[in-house]
Amino acid sequence: MPIDAFTPEFRAELDQLFRWRRDVRRFRTDPVPPDLVARLLEQTGRAPSVGLSEPWRWILVETEKARAAAMESFREANADALSGYGGERAARYASLKLSGMAEAPIHLAVFCDDGTDQGAGLGTATMPEMRRYSVVCAVMQLWLSARAEGLGLGWVSILHPDRLASAFGTPPDWHLIAYLCLGWPEEAHDDCELDRAGWETRRGTGETLTV
C-alpha cells in the first residue's frame, strides 16, 4: 500500500493508539494466550535497528526462581529509591504503585547484545549506544502492538540490572534495557498514572530549538 493511501480515519485511530499507550501497573491475572505473545514478539522484528543489527534479545521470565529474583531486585531497589526522598515527596513515593510484577501473567526481560556481529558495526563506530536505542525502538513497537490487542505493558526500571543478568545467566555482552510486565489491564485510563497521582505533570512536548 502506498504511503499516501493512509486515510484520515486511520490517522485518527493511530492518534488514539498513541493516547491509550499507557505504562500499566495494574493487571488482571488472566493468562495471555501464548500464540498472541509469540505474534507480538514477531512484530517487534519490524522495528528499526542501526546497521540492521537487530540487537534485541528477549527472555520470557517464567520460572518461579527467575521471577522471585526479579521481584526481590525490585523490592531492594525500591527501598533504596525511597530512602533518597524526604518529607511529603517520600510519602507520595511510598503511595505509588510502581510495579505490576506480582499480578502480570507475562514477564519479559529485554537485553541488548552489544557484541553482535550482525550489521558489521555499521553506524556504531561513533555512537555505539545506537544498538541500545534500537532495542528501545523494539520495545515501543511491542508496546503499541500490545495496546492494539487490548493488552497493557508496564516498564519496570527500579531494578539492579547486573543482578538480573547474573540471575538469568545471560552472556557478558548482553545488557538489560527493559524489564516488562504484560497482561490485561485491570482498569483503563488515557492519562498518565503519575500525573493522576500528583507526582509530576505531563508536558507532552519537549523543548524545541532552531539552529
Side-chain angles (χ1 to χ4, degrees):
M1 181 173 64
I3 193 70
D4 59 359
F6 291 119
T7 65
E9 291 77 16
F10 173 86
R11 290 192 288 272
E13 290 183 347
L14 181 61
D15 181 70
Q16 286 296 308
L17 179 60
F18 291 157
R19 291 176 183 273
W20 282 96
R21 191 253 3 116
R22 296 263 56 89
D23 190 348
V24 175
R25 293 97 181 263
R26 304 174 193 276
F27 295 94
R28 305 199 313 260
T29 56
D30 313 41
V32 179
D35 61 330
L36 176 53
V37 176
R39 178 154 50 86
L40 291 173
L41 290 177
E42 182 180 358
Q43 289 173 341
T44 67
R46 301 191 182 101
S49 64
V50 63
L52 200 57
S53 57
E54 299 176 319
W56 41 78
R57 305 291 182 260
W58 304 88
I59 294 180
L60 277 166
V61 185
E62 296 185 333
T63 67
E64 183 177 343
K65 180 180 179 181
R67 288 200 179 196
M71 293 181 70
E72 179 60 23
S73 180
F74 168 77
R75 283 190 289 268
E76 291 178 358
N78 194 44
D80 291 343
L82 176 58
S83 68
Y85 297 106
E88 181 183 345
R89 194 59 127 174
R92 194 176 295 276
Y93 182 94
S95 72
L96 297 173
K97 182 172 175 55
L98 297 174
S99 160
M101 297 169 77
E103 303 85 14
I106 304 294
H107 289 204
L108 286 163
V110 193
F111 288 79
C112 177
D113 182 358
D114 283 327
T116 182
D117 292 330
Q118 186 169 331
L122 191 156
T124 61
T126 52
M127 295 183 66
E129 66 271 21
M130 286 299 296
R131 291 192 189 91
R132 301 187 187 189
Y133 297 157
S134 299
V135 178
V136 174
C137 288
V139 170
M140 193 63 179
Q141 194 103 340
L142 175 65
W143 218 326
L144 294 172
S145 298
R147 180 64 274 183
E149 296 284 353
L151 288 162
L153 191 76
W155 186 327
V156 183
S157 60
I158 307 171
L159 295 161
H160 297 291
D162 292 344
R163 295 183 194 177
L164 283 191
S166 177
F168 298 161
T170 55
D173 285 334
W174 287 22
H175 297 277
L176 183 71
I177 302 300
Y179 194 93
L180 306 172
C181 297
L182 179 68
W184 307 106
E186 187 179 79
E187 53 188 18
H189 294 281
D190 66 351
D191 58 345
C192 176
E193 181 165 344
L194 292 180
D195 194 341
R196 198 163 61 249
W199 179 262
E200 187 56 271
T201 300
R202 183 189 261 301
R203 294 178 174 82
T205 56
E207 184 176 359
T208 301
L209 302 177
T210 299
V211 298

